[in-house]
């Protein structure tokens, strides 16, 4: 009886410490070939009809759109993405909110952003900015 109780306690302790409530480590494979739509920026809800999106392609190339389309090559290390620069069209934008986010996404990528993936929500953030995307693959 004591052995059974001890085994139950060991299994329970192991289960609790190995993943109950913890988010898993984000790997490049978790992001590549997925499309995410911006739903929240710095606590502010973003309408999905604004079509602000982010897609991770081969070799951690990011393609996306805020007000303008952009592309960047990033590296994922220790759950942080960072890239040397963002190529972006700089056309006039009627949507003031999305226009500000052009600079926001560029800053996040250049300065580095922590990445978390919880079910279908992707969060990119640093000390000043938090962008939350929802998985919306096209297929």
């Amino acid at each position: 009886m004591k052995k059974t109780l001890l085994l139950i306690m060991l299994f329970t302790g192991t289960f609790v410490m190995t993943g109950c409530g913890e988010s898993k480590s984000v790997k490049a494979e978790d992001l590549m070939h997925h499309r995410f739509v911006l739903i929240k920026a710095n606590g502010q809800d973003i309408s999905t009809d604004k079509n602000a999106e982010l897609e991770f392609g081969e070799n951690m190339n990011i393609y996306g759109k805020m007000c303008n389309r952009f592309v960047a090559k990033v590296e994922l290390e220790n759950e942080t993405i960072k890239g040397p620069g963002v190529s972006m069209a700089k056309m006039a934008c009627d949507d003031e909110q999305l226009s500000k986010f052009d600079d926001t996404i560029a800053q996040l990528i250049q300065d580095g952003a922590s990445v978390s993936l919880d079910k279908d929500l992707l969060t990119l953030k640093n000390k000043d900015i938090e962008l939350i995307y929802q998985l919306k693959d096209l297929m």
Side-chain angles (χ1 to χ4, degrees), residues 35-62:
R35 176 180 169 261
F36 299 88
V37 175
L38 184 66
I39 59 170
K40 193 172 286 238
N42 296 330
Q44 182 180 2
D45 289 334
I46 306 297
S47 174
T48 56
D49 66 347
K50 292 193 181 225
N51 298 317
E53 62 184 23
L54 185 66
E55 185 176 336
F56 291 86
E58 281 295 316
N59 302 315
M60 291 301 289
N61 288 307
I62 296 178

Side-chain angles (χ1 to χ4, degrees), residues 52-119:
E53 62 184 23
L54 185 66
E55 185 176 336
F56 291 86
E58 281 295 316
N59 302 315
M60 291 301 289
N61 288 307
I62 296 178
Y63 308 93
K65 178 182 174 284
M66 288 298 195
C67 182
N68 288 287
R69 296 212 169 270
F70 63 89
V71 63
K73 169 78 170 117
V74 298
E75 291 186 14
L76 176 65
E77 188 174 319
N78 298 325
E79 298 185 354
T80 299
I81 62 167
K82 188 172 184 177
V86 176
S87 297
M88 182 180 298
K90 285 292 188 177
M91 298 172 58
C93 182
D94 292 337
D95 189 319
E96 189 176 314
Q97 183 183 41
L98 286 182
S99 184
K100 291 177 186 174
F101 293 146
D102 279 345
D103 294 331
T104 300
I105 192 70
Q107 181 184 351
L108 260 180
I109 292 169
Q110 290 174 303
D111 295 347
S114 67
V115 179
S116 64
L117 188 59
D118 184 22
K119 296 182 183 175

Side-chain angles (χ1 to χ4, degrees), residues 2-58:
K2 288 181 183 179
K3 285 183 183 180
T4 304
L5 184 56
L6 179 62
L7 284 173
I8 291 172
M9 289 173 54
L10 280 172
F11 284 126
T12 303
T14 302
F15 176 73
V16 169
M17 295 188 66
T18 59
C20 185
E22 288 183 24
S23 62
K24 69 174 188 149
S25 165
V26 179
K27 298 176 188 77
E29 302 84 47
D30 299 328
L31 302 173
M32 285 192 309
H33 308 295
H34 290 291
R35 176 180 169 261
F36 299 88
V37 175
L38 184 66
I39 59 170
K40 193 172 286 238
N42 296 330
Q44 182 180 2
D45 289 334
I46 306 297
S47 174
T48 56
D49 66 347
K50 292 193 181 225
N51 298 317
E53 62 184 23
L54 185 66
E55 185 176 336
F56 291 86
E58 281 295 316

